[in-house]
Amino acid sequence: EEKGEKLEEEEEEKEDEEDKEEEEEVEKEEEPPKAELTDEEKKMSFVKRDIKDLTPVVMSAAFAKFTLPTKDEGFDDIKYEWAKGAKCDEYLKKWILERKLSMRIEDLQ
């Protein structure tokens, strides 16, 4: 009987070790791949999306009125995550001018 009990204990220990090894393998397999940006993506400040926030009609009617917030408007603090204030202003002006050249004007009278 003692030999049988020892064999059972040894078998249980082997099963426990195998279970632990399987769990470790599963953890290694489940590790998600790391996303890496291409050089072109790293240079981009904004991601271009396939689905637009505004329809072309609304965009053409409103884009010329776009502005950046200022302290005169009552904001306590203004932080730009992607560039300094002067560069942001320059970027917005450039963007608006590009849109004026290429955007279809919907509300001409």
Side-chain angles (χ1 to χ4, degrees):
E1 280 185 42
E2 287 181 25
K3 289 182 183 179
E5 287 177 11
K6 287 183 182 179
L7 287 175
E8 285 179 18
E9 287 178 15
E10 288 176 9
E11 286 178 15
E12 287 178 13
E13 287 177 11
K14 286 181 184 177
E15 287 177 8
D16 289 342
E17 287 177 19
E18 289 175 4
D19 289 341
K20 287 179 184 178
E21 288 176 6
E22 287 177 16
E23 288 175 11
E24 288 175 4
E25 287 178 18
V26 169
E27 286 177 11
K28 289 178 185 176
E29 291 174 9
E30 290 180 7
E31 198 169 304
K34 293 183 180 181
E36 293 186 22
L37 298 176
T38 63
D39 291 335
E40 185 178 308
E41 291 171 330
K42 289 178 183 177
K43 292 178 184 176
M44 293 174 51
S45 295
F46 306 99
V47 177
K48 294 189 180 190
R49 309 240 182 232
D50 294 332
I51 299 173
K52 306 295 182 192
D53 291 334
L54 301 173
T55 63
V57 174
V58 173
M59 178 66 98
S60 69
F63 77 90
K65 300 173 191 168
F66 290 175
T67 61
L68 296 175
T70 62
K71 291 203 179 224
D72 298 339
E73 296 173 349
F75 293 99
D76 294 333
D77 190 26
I78 300 169
K79 293 181 182 178
Y80 300 104
E81 297 294 324
W82 41 277
K84 300 287 183 199
K87 285 188 177 182
C88 293
D89 194 39
E90 180 183 322
Y91 179 85
L92 182 62
K93 286 179 184 176
K94 180 181 169 190
W95 184 86
I96 290 172
L97 289 173
E98 287 174 4
R99 295 300 164 280
K100 284 183 179 181
L101 293 173
S102 63
M103 180 85 49
R104 179 179 174 183
I105 300 174
E106 300 286 340
D107 58 350
L108 275 181
Q109 295 178 353

